[in-house]
Amino acid sequence: MAFEKTVREMEQMLEQDWFEWLENDEAKYEEWRDQLEVLAETATSEFTPSADPDAIDTLLGINEELPILYGEDVVLLYTTLLKSRKEDDSVYERYLTILGAFTDENHPALYEIEKALEAKDYTKAQKLAFALPKALGLE
């Protein structure tokens, strides 16, 4: 429950006037951003594989808006979300976009997952998605 609570706190932070601070009060924005990053670190330390998938999705959405998590943390959150939402094409698409940014968009490993998704072979897509960081040479 701690993970979910921390993610809710992060959501509440996004309701603040952070964009205005970014434009008009850099010091206040930096302070706010530092607090958000501390909460992100806290959330990853509190994370368990049994975490609420909606909270995981929320954290990943926040990260897409304002990158605060990187590398293994992002991969761990996505693979956990893929376990609970094995047949959610949108999760695969976001995961491929994030990891695809680190490689050639025509990389065969990306294509194989896309092909499995087109065929609705989610078992194969999930297996390939879990192996994707290694296939892209990111491990």
Side-chain angles (χ1 to χ4, degrees):
M1 203 55 172
F3 173 81
E4 291 81 358
K5 182 178 183 258
T6 303
V7 171
R8 279 193 304 274
E9 287 179 45
M10 293 174 72
E11 276 184 299
Q12 290 170 350
M13 285 189 70
L14 290 177
E15 294 172 8
Q16 296 175 352
D17 293 329
W18 66 271
F19 194 74
E20 184 178 318
W21 299 330
L22 177 61
E23 292 180 347
N24 301 314
D25 190 345
E26 189 174 331
K28 188 163 184 155
Y29 171 77
E30 290 299 327
E31 179 183 327
W32 173 86
R33 174 84 184 200
D34 289 345
Q35 290 173 348
L36 188 65
E37 289 178 2
V38 166
L39 284 175
E41 290 174 17
T42 301
T44 57
S45 71
E46 296 168 342
F47 175 77
T48 65
S50 62
D52 177 35
D54 290 333
I56 297 170
D57 199 36
T58 298
L59 179 56
L60 288 168
I62 291 169
N63 194 60
E64 288 167 15
E65 186 174 343
L66 289 164
I68 48 179
L69 298 172
Y70 304 96
E72 293 176 7
D73 291 333
V74 173
V75 170
L76 174 65
L77 290 168
Y78 268 108
T79 55
T80 302
L81 191 58
L82 285 171
K83 287 177 185 173
S84 65
R85 294 191 181 152
K86 181 179 177 180
E87 297 183 5
D88 187 340
D89 287 359
S90 68
V91 176
Y92 287 96
E93 290 168 15
R94 289 170 34 213
Y95 182 62
L96 292 176
T97 299
I98 294 290
L99 291 185
F102 297 101
T103 190
D104 173 18
E105 65 184 37
N106 296 317
H107 194 285
L110 299 172
Y111 177 71
E112 288 299 315
I113 295 173
E114 290 170 355
K115 207 164 73 171
L117 291 172
E118 286 175 10
K120 302 294 183 200
D121 185 349
Y122 293 104
T123 300
K124 182 177 182 179
Q126 186 183 59
K127 180 180 176 184
L128 292 169
F130 292 165
L132 185 58
K134 185 174 184 177
L136 297 177
L138 300 174
E139 285 190 347

